[in-house]
Amino acid sequence: SYHRPNSKMSTPEAAADPAIAELTDQIAKLGVSIAEAKQAKKPKEEWDPLLKEMLALKVEYKAKTGQEYGPNKEEKKPKGNDSQEASDKNKEKRAKKAAEKAAKEEKKRKQREERERIQREKLEKLKSAANEDWSHVFGDAPMIQSATKSEEGVNRWTRIEALSKEMEGKKVLVRGFLHTARGVGKGAFVLIRSSLYTVQCVAFESKDIPSAMIKYMNGVPVESIVDVYGTLTVPANPVEGATQSQVEVQVEKFHCVHKATAAMPFQMEDACRPDLVKETDVGAYDHEANASAEGGRVGQETRLDHRWIDLRTPANQSIFRVQSMVCTLFREYLLSQNFMEIHTPKLLSGASEGGADVFTLDYFGKPACLSMSPQLHKQMAAACGGFERVFEIGPVFRAENSNTRRHLCEFTGLDLEMAIVEHYDEVLDVLGDLFVYIFDGLTEKCGQEIQRVKEQHGFEDLKYLKKTLKIDYATGCKLLREAGVDQGDYDDLSTENEKKLGDIVREKYDTDFFIMDKYPLDVRPFYTMPDPNNPKLSNSYDVFIRGQEILSGAQRVHEPELIEERARAWGIEVETIASYVDSFRNGALPHGGGGIGLERVVMLYLGLPNIRKSSMFPRDPRRISP
């Protein structure tokens, strides 16, 4: 500390001794300098040396005078009126501060009591809600065991696809998969999905919607089956991410019908992502390489391992609805043309078309195989049995170890066989009109499904002519040679050359769909009728979509002796097909037909890169489950 020099600090020694007076003056000056430095907020490093010097002078002052530097402690300012007035003012200030402090404490006390009251009411409300039975409003529904049924029955529920803004204000009950759920403040937003359609359902905490219900809605595992009841409203803005974007359900009741308990192998959002690149639809298929995918996508093999989940995506829902419609249109058209549907056996005593690519089995001690084709039996029915025009939709088995993008070991065959009067072109006319009917029908009835497939697997619409293009095999080979492709008139077409020919035909004739006939006899089955004008050719044909074969057919041999001759040429033991040959010995109508691969038709119509995408549960050399 420091003090300015004044009379109070003067001592008799200081007055008599000039050295002490000078010492006093130095201490005072240093004190002033230090005070000014501090007032200027200078760093301590600047005035600390002055402080040390001043302290040293004070020690020297005490040594010479025998007393501390500063005012005499004995000298006290006499109390007077000024001091009393100051004391009174201080008392007033202290009293005012005390009153303010007391007021603040009282305010805090009241605020604390109010918070405690609110918390008590909240706890009482929660306790009351917990004690109240809310099962009629939300929770896990009892297992449906068909114990009871309501008077309205299925009509109590409204299909999500039927929800529209014209129904605003109506009470609705919907059921579906819980696609997503997200909590926002004291509310819950859930998206419910049924087949291709989704609707948003919203709930906020209120006297009728307890907070426990909001928590429950946000906690139900995705992909669980739920029932939602509420009022249909029209939001101010369309709901993004919902197919029924013009409406939403204000939830009043929310029940879980069946809870998803297993962990999801992949997220539905990832399974629905659009393809990053367009894959090739020909060539080998690598199972290991397709186990995973980039960019948050799900690999094909992972999808197939959990196909029951993968089938839920809008694209897959659409693919198999298109597939179903192909069968429906196939059946419709052929029935309109006086065809009859038949069902043939799939257990055979020998190979249906010869060769070793059959699945063999033991049939009560006898060798047997699974049918590679209904070919022999549909011929028996149409040409020998007198039904004349028949068709079948059924499984076909091929034990070919082909790991490609377009081959399966089991697929669905769309087969037809018909009697002809004078020329097998009668069959080609039926086939051409049949496919135009199917394509027109898909455009008319599956527009929404086709669009949903495009959203994930982009493709161009199929081009086809109302009058189907037909070229012969030699013309196709010539078109390939003109394009620089090495292709002989009697050589079989490779997959690559078929694709190339498809591109050429599309460019030249503006169609993705065409028929090519007069194939070389050596590349066709034993029951194919030889060409009457060229023994190297046959009365056979293939039908193509986007450069890939989807149907193979021909006029069949109906003379028993020629059948046996052709069978021996193929190395087939006539004894193994004796019943087939014998069926033509009692009179047979000239006839022809063809076999269509359903999965390949759907794959190529929708521009899919892999036949496994158009087979619900595909079977290939590496996969036999699920």
Side-chain angles (χ1 to χ4, degrees):
S1 61
Y2 59 91
H3 302 276
R4 295 181 183 276
N6 54 55
S7 59
K8 302 292 183 183
M9 296 170 58
S10 301
T11 63
E13 294 82 354
D17 188 345
I20 293 176
E22 183 180 354
L23 187 61
T24 301
D25 187 56
Q26 289 179 347
I27 292 173
K29 289 180 178 179
L30 287 170
V32 171
S33 298
I34 292 171
E36 291 175 347
K38 284 186 175 182
Q39 187 175 4
K41 297 183 179 181
K42 293 183 178 180
K44 186 179 179 183
E45 292 78 6
E46 291 189 16
W47 51 264
D48 192 53
L50 301 178
L51 177 61
K52 291 178 179 178
E53 183 181 352
M54 184 181 74
L55 293 174
L57 292 174
K58 284 186 177 182
V59 171
E60 183 181 348
Y61 177 90
K62 182 177 181 181
K64 289 183 178 181
T65 63
Q67 52 187 313
E68 298 286 348
Y69 177 84
N72 293 329
K73 293 181 180 179
E74 298 82 8
E75 296 181 9
K76 293 183 179 179
K77 186 175 181 180
K79 293 181 179 179
N81 292 333
D82 292 343
S83 176
Q84 185 63 43
E85 289 177 5
S87 178
D88 291 342
K89 288 181 180 179
N90 287 337
K91 286 181 180 179
E92 290 177 5
K93 288 182 179 180
R94 285 195 295 272
K96 185 177 180 182
K97 287 183 178 180
E100 290 175 349
K101 184 177 181 181
K104 287 181 179 179
E105 290 297 327
E106 179 65 14
K107 184 178 181 181
K108 288 181 179 179
R109 183 187 66 77
K110 289 182 177 180
Q111 290 175 338
R112 183 170 60 254
E113 289 179 351
E114 179 65 14
R115 288 195 300 270
E116 290 173 352
R117 183 189 66 77
I118 294 173
Q119 183 65 16
R120 283 196 305 272
E121 290 181 356
K122 193 172 184 179
L123 290 173
E124 289 172 1
K125 183 179 178 182
L126 289 174
K127 185 177 180 181
S128 175
N131 294 331
E132 185 175 348
D133 183 9
W134 289 96
S135 61
H136 65 291
V137 175
F138 75 94
D140 294 352
M143 182 190 299
I144 296 177
Q145 292 184 283
S146 303
T148 62
K149 61 180 181 179
S150 62
E151 184 176 341
E152 307 100 306
V154 71
N155 294 326
R156 288 175 57 204
W157 282 262
T158 302
R159 293 188 61 81
I160 290 177
E161 64 187 276
L163 299 177
S164 65
K165 60 183 180 181
E166 287 73 26
M167 299 171 63
E168 182 180 10
K170 289 188 176 181
K171 301 290 186 181
V172 295
L173 173 62
V174 297
R175 175 175 292 180
F177 289 93
L178 178 61
H179 190 69
T180 60
R182 59 186 177 93
V184 179
K186 295 184 178 181
F189 291 77
V190 298
L191 195 66
I192 309 302
R193 186 187 71 248
S194 176
S195 64
L196 295 174
Y197 309 96
T198 53
V199 65
Q200 179 170 273
C201 305
V202 183
F204 289 96
E205 186 178 343
S206 66
K207 63 182 181 65
D208 298 318
I209 306 293
S211 59
M213 176 173 167
I214 302 301
K215 184 177 180 181
Y216 177 83
M217 290 176 65
N218 289 324
V220 174
V222 294
E223 295 306 301
S224 296
I225 310 301
V226 297
D227 273 350
V228 181
Y229 176 82
T231 304
L232 197 68
T233 61
V234 177
N237 299 307
V239 180
E240 293 185 8
T243 62
Q244 311 310 101
S245 60
Q246 301 299 316
V247 295
E248 63 183 7
V249 178
Q250 299 298 321
V251 181
E252 298 172 23
K253 298 179 182 180
F254 187 93
H255 290 92
C256 183
V257 177
H258 185 267
K259 191 169 291 184
T261 55
M264 289 287 287
F266 50 80
Q267 297 302 310
M268 289 298 293
E269 292 171 307
D270 294 337
C272 295
R273 297 184 191 278
D275 295 335
L276 278 174
V277 295
K278 186 69 175 178
E279 299 178 44
T280 178
D281 57 0
V282 295
Y285 175 75
D286 188 333
H287 292 75
E288 284 72 22
N290 282 274
S292 60
E294 299 178 353
R297 273 73 178 169
V298 183
Q300 184 63 48
E301 288 300 296
T302 302
R303 288 176 180 273
L304 296 179
D305 287 341
H306 306 89
R307 190 60 154 164
W308 59 92
I309 300 175
D310 183 45
L311 289 173
R312 301 174 188 176
T313 67
N316 284 332
Q317 287 280 314
S318 300
I319 287 169
F320 293 104
R321 280 171 167 74
V322 168
Q323 185 186 90
S324 175
M325 185 55 65
V326 170
C327 291
T328 297
L329 296 169
F330 176 81
R331 181 177 282 111
E332 279 181 1
Y333 180 77
L334 293 181
L335 289 174
S336 74
Q337 300 299 309
N338 298 317
F339 280 76
M340 184 186 78
E341 186 168 8
I342 62 172
H343 305 283
T344 61
K346 306 308 168 192
L347 288 171
L348 305 177
S349 62
S352 55
E353 294 188 19
D357 294 332
V358 294
F359 290 105
T360 59
L361 52 91
D362 179 84
Y363 190 77
F364 301 104
K366 300 177 182 179
C369 67
L370 293 177
S371 173
M372 290 180 65
S373 164
Q375 183 59 50
L376 309 185
H377 291 94
K378 67 179 181 176
Q379 283 185 256
M380 288 184 188
C384 308
F387 289 105
E388 299 189 3
R389 291 189 167 200
V390 299
F391 71 92
E392 179 176 14
I393 301 176
V396 176
F397 303 92
R398 301 285 171 89
E400 299 174 353
N401 191 15
S402 298
N403 294 283
T404 75
R405 293 175 174 271
R406 65 179 196 146
H407 286 95
L408 292 172
C409 293
E410 179 183 354
F411 62 89
T412 301
L414 306 180
D415 279 86
L416 63 88
E417 203 74 18
M418 58 179 280
I420 62 174
V421 178
E422 59 180 6
H423 200 284
Y424 74 93
D425 273 358
E426 298 162 28
V427 182
L428 298 185
D429 291 340
V430 169
L431 290 174
D433 292 343
L434 166 65
F435 277 101
V436 170
Y437 182 84
I438 291 174
F439 299 152
D440 286 346
L442 291 176
T443 300
E444 176 187 349
K445 300 180 180 181
C446 293
Q448 184 169 234
E449 287 81 359
I450 292 170
Q451 182 58 38
R452 299 306 290 275
V453 177
K454 282 183 179 179
E455 290 171 5
Q456 184 162 5
H457 311 294
F459 68 93
E460 294 183 13
D461 289 334
L462 185 79
K463 289 188 173 184
Y464 61 97
L465 305 175
K466 293 297 183 179
K467 179 64 176 178
T468 301
L469 172 69
K470 184 179 73 171
I471 61 175
D472 58 33
Y473 193 83
T475 299
C477 294
K478 181 181 178 183
L479 290 172
L480 285 169
R481 287 194 296 271
E482 290 174 351
V485 177
D486 184 16
Q487 175 66 48
D489 286 350
Y490 299 102
D491 297 333
D492 199 4
L493 278 176
S494 65
T495 300
E496 292 74 15
N497 285 359
E498 284 182 346
K499 284 287 292 181
K500 180 64 177 177
L501 180 59
D503 294 337
I504 295 171
V505 169
R506 190 178 202 270
E507 180 67 25
K508 185 177 180 64
Y509 300 102
D510 196 34
T511 181
D512 291 312
F513 173 73
F514 66 98
I515 298 173
M516 185 160 66
D517 76 338
K518 292 297 179 184
Y519 272 71
L521 183 62
D522 289 344
V523 300
R524 307 305 279 192
F526 75 92
Y527 47 75
T528 302
M529 180 68 75
D531 181 278
N533 301 314
N534 185 342
K536 291 185 177 182
L537 299 179
S538 63
N539 294 348
S540 63
Y541 39 84
D542 278 359
V543 177
F544 292 86
I545 295 179
R546 301 188 198 271
Q548 293 202 53
E549 172 250 317
I550 50 93
L551 176 148
S552 183
Q555 178 185 353
R556 322 300 186 182
V557 177
H558 57 281
E559 292 289 345
E561 292 76 16
L562 185 53
I563 294 175
E564 291 178 341
E565 177 185 329
R566 295 298 305 147
R568 294 189 187 95
W570 270 81
I572 299 173
E573 296 182 6
V574 176
E575 293 75 14
T576 63
I577 57 170
S579 60
Y580 169 69
V581 178
D582 288 344
S583 66
F584 294 96
R585 299 188 189 280
N586 301 103
L589 294 165
H591 61 286
I596 305 164
L598 173 63
E599 290 82 357
R600 197 177 289 185
V601 169
V602 175
M603 165 193 170
L604 295 170
Y605 179 82
L606 295 175
L608 300 174
N610 194 323
I611 199 167
R612 291 160 185 80
K613 292 184 181 295
S614 59
S615 175
M616 187 168 283
F617 297 101
R619 295 291 180 261
D620 63 27
R622 297 279 296 277
R623 177 172 293 280
I624 196 170
S625 67

